[in-house]
Amino acid sequence: PATPAEQAAARAALGVPADAVVLLAHGRVAFHLGANPFPLFMAAHHAAKAGPFNVHVVLAGRAPNRHVQKAVTDAARAVCPTV
């Protein structure tokens, strides 16, 4: 497990405040099969609306190409703009 100092450094590198709730997905970043991040975006949106949560989504993985990466980023901004 990461030490508190390592956790703080990782959050700082990602621009995530110490008090934020982080939803992490690891794997292929795409909209097909089991890789679709849309349910995660919806969960983040609902969590942010449900309470006083500072929610951040972190996708750790590779998109098949830059067009898919842009589409996923655009979808995240559209579905959960406050996250």
Side-chain angles (χ1 to χ4, degrees):
T3 66
E6 291 168 333
Q7 292 174 6
R11 283 177 175 265
L14 294 170
V16 176
D19 65 339
V21 174
V22 177
L23 302 178
L24 171 67
H26 178 265
R28 176 181 282 170
V29 178
F31 285 111
H32 62 286
L33 301 174
N36 190 337
F38 185 78
L40 179 66
F41 298 157
M42 290 302 299
H45 172 72
H46 289 296
K49 281 180 54 179
F53 304 115
N54 181 0
V55 179
H56 286 250
V57 172
V58 176
L59 298 177
R62 296 186 73 182
N65 58 58
R66 63 184 170 86
H67 302 291
V68 171
Q69 182 176 349
K70 182 179 182 325
V72 169
T73 301
D74 291 347
R77 289 187 178 129
V79 172
C80 48
T82 62
V83 173

